[in-house]
């Protein structure tokens, strides 16, 4: 149960609601328990007018409230019919009062559980956001989504319904047992004997149902993934004429789903008749045993019998709930265990060594120094960077060129501190990168990632993502510098155009330039462009670079690329090979050296349709 202890802080926070809820449970059950006693009184009353009745004093084992009521109707001189009618009305009133308190009990306990669910979701979402790239590589999205929706949902079944049913169960059992034992302990024992069997059966059957539904859930989730893949990859599916094959795969899973669902329906179909059978047997045995007792003269009033039958029926639901509650708590325990595991996961990249104040990078102008860094991706063991040394001075424009997989993007990742270094040091303004809080550092670096990501939102919001308070003119200016303004303005809704799933589809090159505009708008000391013009044609590239050149004049920038931009005058060009720097220098020096760079340049000149001399 120690997993669920993590929830105690929430119980404490909402203790007033819970306490009120528990009080309401007790009150509602108290009123429920009075009805059988009044019924018993009515039955006895009716007996009194039957022939052969021997007058007896009122049984002493009844609730004081009922006793007061009975005394009142007896002594107020009502006619027989009026007494019976009054009793009927009182039972109705009791039911109403009970209903009112049941409503209040739900309003307190279930509402509290919804609050807890809400807070837990936020806590988990907040925690997710703090975790680093390594965590996201290790866990798949589906699993992360499940924790925040399914697991939290299962935990809510504990903080809400389970607690409520449990409180209900305990008070109902205590109250009815109290009155039953007072009336006749042995009869109580006999009639209650079958109830544990009922609880256990429900527990077992419920677990079977749950296991099966989980299996069905898993198939359903595969089915959804299948369908989703087909929709998002519909262009590939159609162009390879694979519709039939996709349909076959889908139909196969769909069939599994059908079989499992029918299996579940069978178990469920058996479930409720079996329950009703057990309930019926309990009632039957009560009447039978009670009947024998009455004939033997062990009990003298038929009313007691009626009362017992009513108690048994009232106990049925709480006893059945034991089975549900046990299952719910078990699942909540497993779910909370998973959530606890997640919540104790710490980001490997953290702020523990952050000694520099928040403002320390406010006027940072991009001075960075990589000292002998080496880096191996922790999840794959691939060594992406080896003995890398580079010093960037303010205002410098650096190009990083190299074959695919040579480690260019990794340099950007390390500079953004998506991962921590294993060897060497990155100095930002002459201080180790770890001395800055991650937030502070990232807020001062503008980054255009290699794989563009746009949110399903308007183009304007996508551009202003790094600067919430950006004005319309600023957004337009950024778009203009990224040479995408013309295209955006040609859309009917301009910057209000929604992109992504339910919006328009931008071309690869358009997306890249929107992503550049986003980076240009963010106030930063250093800008990193990671291969961000790979999808645009030569003419557009030229236009973007022309604008960028002007924008970058007094800024520090790292441009990662496959292509050699003849247009931009880089201060240093780094040629990477297998994680290390193979060559470095200015364009002319490197050409003169006639090494890897010169070779690359010549090949590109040959390949490109627009000669570089044109630029
Ligand atoms: P490209 O020009 O294709 O973008 P790159 O020079 O940017 O290549 P990197 O992305 O830095 O190359 O990758 C360097 C090496 O690190 C590659 O071997 C790659 O497989 C590996 N790698 C990159 N990202 C990860 C990651 N997140 N986890 C594990 N290994 C990675
Ligand atoms: Mg890359």
């Amino acid at each position: 149960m120690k997993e669920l202890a993590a929830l105690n802080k929430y119980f404490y926070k909402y203790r007033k609601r819970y306490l009120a809820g528990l009080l309401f449970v007790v009150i509602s059950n108290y009123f429920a328990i009075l009805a059988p006693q009044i019924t018993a009184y009515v039955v006895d009353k009716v007996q009194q007018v039957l022939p052969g009745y021997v007058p007896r004093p009122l049984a002493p084992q009844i609730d004081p409230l009922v006793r007061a009521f009975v005394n009142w109707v007896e002594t107020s001189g009502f006619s027989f019919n009026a007494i019976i009618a009054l009793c009927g009305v009182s039972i109705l009133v009791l039911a109403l009062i009970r209903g009112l308190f049941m409503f209040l009990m739900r309003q307190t306990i279930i509402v509290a559980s919804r609050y807890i669910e809400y807070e837990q979701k936020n806590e988990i979402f907040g925690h997710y956001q703090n975790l680093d790239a390594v965590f996201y590589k290790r866990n798949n999205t589906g699993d992360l989504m499940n924790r925040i929706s399914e697991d939290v949902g299962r935990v809510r079944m504990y903080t809400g319904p389970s607690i409520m049913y449990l409180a209900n169960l305990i008070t109902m059992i205590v109250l009815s047992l109290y009155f039953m034992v007072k009336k006749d302990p042995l009869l109580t024992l006999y009639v209650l004997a079958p109830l544990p069997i009922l609880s256990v059966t429900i527990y077992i059957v419920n677990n079977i149902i749950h296991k099966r539904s989980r299996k069905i859930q898993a198939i359903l989730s595969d089915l959804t993934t299948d369908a989703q893949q087909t929709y998002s990859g519909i262009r590939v599916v159609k162009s390879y004429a694979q519709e039939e094959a996709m349909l076959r795969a889908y139909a196969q899973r769909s069939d599994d789903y059908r079989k499992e669902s029918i299996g579940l329906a069978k178990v469920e179909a058996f479930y409720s008749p079996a329950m009703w059978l057990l309930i019926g047997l309990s009632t039957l045995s009560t009447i039978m045993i009670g009947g024998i007792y009455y004939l033997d003269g062990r009990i003298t009033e038929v009313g007691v019998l009626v009362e017992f039958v009513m108690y048994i029926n009232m106990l049925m639901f709480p006893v059945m709930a034991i089975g549900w509650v046990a299952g719910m708590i078990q699942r909540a325990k497993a779910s909370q265990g998973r959530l606890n595991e997640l919540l104790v996961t710490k980001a490997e990249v953290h702020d523990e060594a952050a000694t520099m104040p928040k403002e320390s990078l406010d006027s940072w102008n991009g001075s960075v120094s990589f000292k002998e860094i080496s880096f191996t991706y922790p999840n794959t063991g691939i060594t992406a960077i080896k003995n890398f040394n580079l010093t960037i001075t303010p205002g410098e424009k650096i190009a990083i060129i190299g074959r695919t997989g040579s480690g260019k993007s990794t340099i950007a990742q390390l500079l953004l501190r998506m991962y921590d270094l294993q060897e060497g040091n990155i100095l930002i303004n002459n201080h180790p990168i770890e001395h800055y809080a991650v937030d502070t550092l990232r807020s001062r670096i503008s980054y255009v990632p290699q794989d563009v990501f746009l949110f399903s939102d308007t183009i304007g919001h996508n551009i202003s993502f790094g600067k919430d308070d950006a004005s319309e003119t600023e957004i337009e200016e950024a778009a203009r510098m990224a040479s995408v303004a013309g295209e955006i303005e040609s859309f009917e809704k301009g910057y209000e155009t929604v992109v992504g799933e339910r919006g328009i589809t931008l071309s690869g090159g358009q997306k890249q330039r929107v992503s550049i505009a986003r980076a240009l708008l963010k106030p930063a000391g250093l800008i990193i462009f990671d291969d961000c013009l790979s999808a645009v044609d030569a003419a557009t590239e030229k236009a973007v670079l022309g604008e960028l050149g002007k924008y970058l004049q007094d800024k520090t920038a790292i441009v990662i690329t496959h292509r050699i931009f003849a247009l931009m005058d880089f201060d240093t060009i780094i040629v990477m090979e297998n994680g290390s720097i193979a060559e470095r220098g200015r364009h002319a020096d490197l050409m003169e050296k006639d090494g890897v760079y010169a070779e690359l340049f010549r090949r590109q000149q040959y390949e490109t349709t627009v000669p570089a001399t044109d630029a």
Side-chain angles (χ1 to χ4, degrees):
M1 280 316 244
K2 65 178 191 300
E3 287 91 347
L4 293 173
L7 292 163
N8 290 348
K9 61 173 178 190
Y10 292 118
F11 286 136
Y12 183 73
K13 180 166 180 191
Y14 292 105
R15 62 189 180 282
K16 283 190 192 138
R17 278 179 191 272
Y18 277 106
L19 286 176
L22 294 182
L23 186 70
F24 295 145
V25 173
V26 175
I27 298 176
S28 94
N29 280 331
Y30 172 66
F31 282 105
I33 220 79
L34 300 183
Q37 300 190 8
I38 294 181
T39 314
Y41 166 72
V42 171
V43 171
D44 287 334
K45 191 85 197 151
V46 173
Q47 260 195 319
Q48 289 173 16
V49 297
L50 297 179
Y53 175 76
V54 191
R56 283 187 307 266
L58 186 64
Q61 311 93 334
I62 64 172
D63 181 82
L65 203 64
V66 178
R67 176 183 300 282
F69 172 77
V70 169
N71 281 338
W72 174 68
V73 291
E74 292 270 344
T75 54
S76 303
F78 291 116
S79 69
F80 176 78
N81 286 356
I83 290 178
I84 302 295
L86 268 175
C87 288
V89 170
S90 74
I91 288 177
L92 200 67
V93 171
L94 284 176
L96 282 175
I97 297 175
R98 176 173 197 218
L100 173 73
F101 282 100
M102 275 172 91
F103 168 77
L104 291 175
M105 133 187 131
R106 291 199 150 259
Q107 279 300 305
T108 45
I109 298 183
I110 301 294
V111 167
S113 77
R114 288 288 179 195
Y115 277 116
I116 294 177
E117 178 187 33
Y118 162 80
E119 287 188 24
Q120 246 195 333
K121 281 194 175 184
N122 288 349
E123 184 184 0
I124 292 164
F125 186 75
H127 192 74
Y128 273 157
Q129 299 226 82
N130 282 334
L131 290 169
D132 53 27
V134 178
F135 174 83
Y136 284 96
K137 281 279 168 212
R138 284 196 181 128
N139 294 278
N140 67 36
T141 321
D143 197 41
L144 301 184
M145 298 291 289
N146 263 347
R147 293 198 190 184
I148 210 164
S149 55
E150 255 182 61
D151 282 337
V152 173
R154 289 214 192 95
V155 170
R156 192 194 75 81
M157 294 308 277
Y158 164 67
T159 57
S162 293
I163 300 258
M164 194 176 70
Y165 288 149
L166 209 61
N168 197 39
L169 167 94
I170 293 170
T171 45
M172 186 52 112
I173 289 181
V174 168
L175 284 172
S176 49
L177 265 186
Y178 174 75
F179 288 111
M180 284 165 92
V181 170
K182 252 179 143 184
K183 288 253 157 83
D184 196 323
L186 200 62
L187 182 60
T188 309
L189 190 70
Y190 281 137
V191 298
L192 290 188
L195 293 189
I197 304 175
L198 186 65
S199 286
V200 173
T201 319
I202 295 220
Y203 176 71
I204 295 171
V205 177
N206 220 30
N207 267 355
I208 296 177
I209 290 187
H210 197 79
K211 272 204 194 103
R212 289 193 173 227
S213 355
R214 284 198 71 140
K215 204 165 162 195
I216 291 179
Q217 272 300 321
I219 300 179
L220 189 64
S221 119
D222 284 348
L223 207 60
T224 322
T225 314
D226 259 18
Q228 201 195 349
Q229 286 237 14
T230 310
Y231 304 149
S232 42
I234 194 74
R235 282 195 276 186
V236 179
V237 174
K238 282 192 180 288
S239 57
Y240 283 75
Q242 286 300 304
E243 291 95 333
E244 287 262 344
M246 298 304 272
L247 180 62
R248 266 200 306 278
Y250 188 83
Q252 178 60 48
R253 280 198 204 279
S254 205
D255 196 45
D256 292 345
Y257 179 70
R258 179 184 61 89
K259 283 187 194 133
E260 287 294 334
S261 298
I262 291 176
L264 178 64
K266 275 188 192 144
V267 180
E268 279 174 342
F270 165 79
Y271 185 66
S272 51
M275 289 312 92
W276 287 112
L277 181 70
L278 283 171
I279 293 171
L281 284 180
S282 285
T283 311
L284 193 70
S285 69
T286 312
I287 295 174
M288 199 179 77
I289 298 169
I292 293 171
Y293 271 26
Y294 184 75
L295 293 178
D296 286 355
R298 232 191 100 102
I299 47 173
T300 45
E301 300 146 86
V302 185
V304 173
L305 214 64
V306 176
E307 201 179 327
F308 265 60
V309 169
M310 286 179 80
Y311 284 142
I312 285 295
N313 275 292
M314 265 183 206
L315 276 175
M316 239 10 112
F317 178 76
V319 166
M320 278 163 66
I322 298 181
W324 298 327
V325 169
M328 282 196 275
I329 293 182
Q330 224 178 27
R331 288 189 286 277
K333 194 175 133 190
S335 286
Q336 186 61 40
R338 268 195 296 275
L339 294 178
N340 291 344
E341 208 175 88
L342 166 78
L343 291 171
V344 297
T345 311
K346 282 233 167 60
E348 274 159 53
V349 174
H350 50 66
D351 286 344
E352 274 160 35
T355 48
M356 303 295 286
K358 232 178 152 57
E359 309 74 35
S360 54
L361 286 181
D362 281 358
S363 57
W364 176 59
N365 43 19
S367 84
V368 178
S369 187
F370 296 88
K371 295 224 181 294
E372 274 300 309
I373 63 167
S374 292
F375 178 72
T376 304
Y377 277 102
N379 49 326
T380 55
I382 295 175
T383 301
I385 303 293
K386 280 172 247 156
N387 309 337
F388 184 91
N389 282 294
L390 175 68
T391 302
I392 304 171
T393 51
E396 219 179 347
K397 261 49 97 202
I398 310 261
I400 302 182
I401 294 179
R403 263 190 266 282
T404 170
S406 57
K408 305 182 297 294
S409 299
T410 307
I411 292 290
Q413 299 291 310
L414 293 176
L415 196 47
L416 283 158
R417 223 178 139 210
M418 293 296 175
Y419 299 92
D420 268 334
L421 292 170
Q422 288 123 359
E423 263 177 64
N425 250 321
I426 297 179
L427 302 180
I428 305 274
N429 245 359
N430 295 322
H431 291 280
I433 196 165
E434 295 84 10
H435 287 189
Y436 298 97
V438 177
D439 271 2
T440 313
L441 175 77
R442 292 185 190 154
S443 70
R444 297 290 297 138
I445 298 176
S446 215
Y447 169 58
V448 188
Q450 186 167 18
D451 41 352
V452 179
F453 180 82
L454 297 185
F455 295 94
S456 292
D457 199 342
T458 64
I459 297 183
H461 287 157
N462 266 294
I463 295 179
S464 65
F465 187 68
K467 192 174 183 220
D468 292 339
D469 56 351
S471 68
E472 261 175 51
T473 14
E474 283 178 302
I475 294 175
E476 285 167 24
E477 174 66 10
R480 199 189 52 70
M481 283 190 292
S483 305
V484 70
E487 281 145 280
I488 297 174
E489 277 149 26
S490 73
F491 298 139
E492 204 180 304
K493 291 192 183 151
Y495 290 87
E496 294 299 308
T497 311
V498 173
V499 293
E501 284 221 317
R502 266 166 298 161
I504 65 156
T505 309
L506 295 179
S507 76
Q510 284 167 339
K511 280 189 209 156
Q512 284 190 331
R513 280 170 292 142
V514 169
S515 172
I516 294 176
R518 177 193 288 165
L520 298 183
L521 186 57
K522 180 177 165 184
L526 173 74
I527 307 187
I528 307 170
F529 298 94
D530 192 351
D531 209 10
C532 60
L533 287 173
S534 56
V536 302
D537 57 42
T540 314
E541 179 178 307
K542 211 168 118 181
V544 177
L545 290 177
E547 285 293 337
L548 275 186
K550 278 182 259 163
Y551 170 80
L552 291 177
Q553 228 149 43
D554 51 351
K555 295 199 163 59
T556 318
I558 298 176
V559 179
I560 297 171
T561 176
H562 279 120
R563 282 189 265 178
I564 295 170
F565 302 123
L567 192 86
M568 257 191 168
D569 191 16
F570 290 107
D571 299 302
T572 311
I573 296 169
I574 306 276
V575 183
M576 291 202 59
E577 272 202 319
N578 298 327
S580 318
I581 299 180
E583 287 176 14
R584 72 171 88 200
R586 293 181 74 95
H587 176 74
D589 307 333
L590 291 173
M591 287 307 288
E592 202 171 305
K593 207 170 167 195
D594 205 14
V596 190
Y597 180 82
E599 163 70 23
L600 207 69
F601 184 71
R602 276 195 293 274
R603 200 164 352 119
Q604 282 192 6
Q605 282 224 301
Y606 176 72
E607 280 167 4
T608 182
T609 45
V610 181
T613 42
D614 239 7

